[in-house]
């Protein structure tokens, strides 16, 4: 076989591998994008209707007992909750019945694994913004306390716009 023919075949194989890798990455990005919007526009399940207060926009934090980032998320909620207006509230939903983190009185705490499972977002920790009718309007992974603060600012701005 001539060296030029061998080089062309090797380049073709490398190009095909590059295309396959690109297609796989594209598919994964699309899956992640769909996961980020999972549940938006859906009313919370019947057993979850006890989440939040009527007429109030609720920021629901879904946390896990084995999650190292969740401690930072809970700390951010504890810091932000006292300064929220009455039109916005926090709810923490944990799968740990022995959850014992300090939270302000204004934060609703639900320690029920059944309700935790009924919130069907594919990531933990997660933040969900639930409107006054119990419809999820936004979901996002809660990767840090800064994300919690940003979502709280957005929920307050959303509520002020709707008034």
């Amino acid at each position: 076989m001539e060296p030029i023919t061998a080089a062309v075949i090797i380049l073709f194989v490398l190009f095909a591998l590059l295309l396959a890798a690109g297609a796989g990455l594209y598919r994964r990005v699309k899956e992640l994008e769909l996961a980020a919007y999972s549940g938006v526009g859906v009313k919370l399940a019947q057993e979850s209707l006890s989440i939040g207060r009527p007429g109030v926009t609720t920021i629901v934090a879904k946390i896990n007992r084995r999650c190292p980032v969740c401690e930072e998320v809970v700390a951010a909620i504890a810091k932000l909750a006292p300064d929220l207006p009455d039109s916005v509230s926090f709810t923490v939903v944990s799968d740990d019945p022995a959850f014992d983190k300090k939270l302000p009185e204004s934060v609703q705490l639900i320690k029920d694994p059944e309700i935790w499972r009924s919130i069907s977002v594919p990531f933990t920790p997660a933040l969900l913004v639930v409107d006054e009718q119990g419809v999820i309007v936004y979901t996002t992974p809660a990767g840090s306390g800064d994300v919690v603060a940003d979502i709280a600012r957005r929920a307050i701005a959303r509520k002020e716009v709707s008034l």
Side-chain angles (χ1 to χ4, degrees), residues 2-148:
E2 290 187 34
I4 292 180
T5 306
V8 168
I9 291 172
I10 290 171
L11 285 175
F12 178 76
V13 169
L14 290 174
F15 183 71
L17 288 173
L18 183 64
L19 282 177
L25 285 174
Y26 180 75
R27 191 182 107 220
R28 183 66 182 145
V29 166
K30 285 299 189 187
E31 287 173 359
L32 289 171
E33 184 179 61
L34 288 173
Y37 293 107
S38 175
V40 173
V42 175
K43 195 167 182 96
L44 286 176
Q46 280 297 86
E47 63 270 9
S48 302
L49 290 179
S50 62
I51 292 176
R53 298 186 323 248
V56 173
T57 297
T58 304
I59 302 168
V60 178
K62 179 182 179 183
I63 62 170
N64 187 316
R65 70 181 95 182
R66 293 174 297 275
C67 166
V69 178
C70 293
E71 291 193 28
E72 183 182 348
V73 169
V74 170
I77 289 170
K79 181 181 171 189
L80 293 168
D83 298 328
L84 285 179
D86 291 338
S87 60
V88 179
S89 70
F90 274 113
T91 296
V92 174
V93 179
S94 175
D95 65 339
D96 184 6
F99 181 89
D100 62 351
K101 305 287 188 265
K102 288 274 198 184
L103 291 171
E105 289 288 322
S106 61
V107 177
Q108 180 185 18
L109 176 61
I110 299 173
K111 302 185 279 189
D112 185 351
E114 191 71 29
I115 292 176
W116 187 88
R117 281 189 296 276
S118 75
I119 299 173
S120 60
V121 290
F123 37 80
T124 302
L127 292 174
L128 295 84
V129 178
V130 181
D131 72 4
E132 302 79 13
Q133 289 80 35
V135 175
I136 300 169
V137 294
Y138 185 73
T139 65
T140 188
S144 70
D146 293 336
V147 173
V148 176

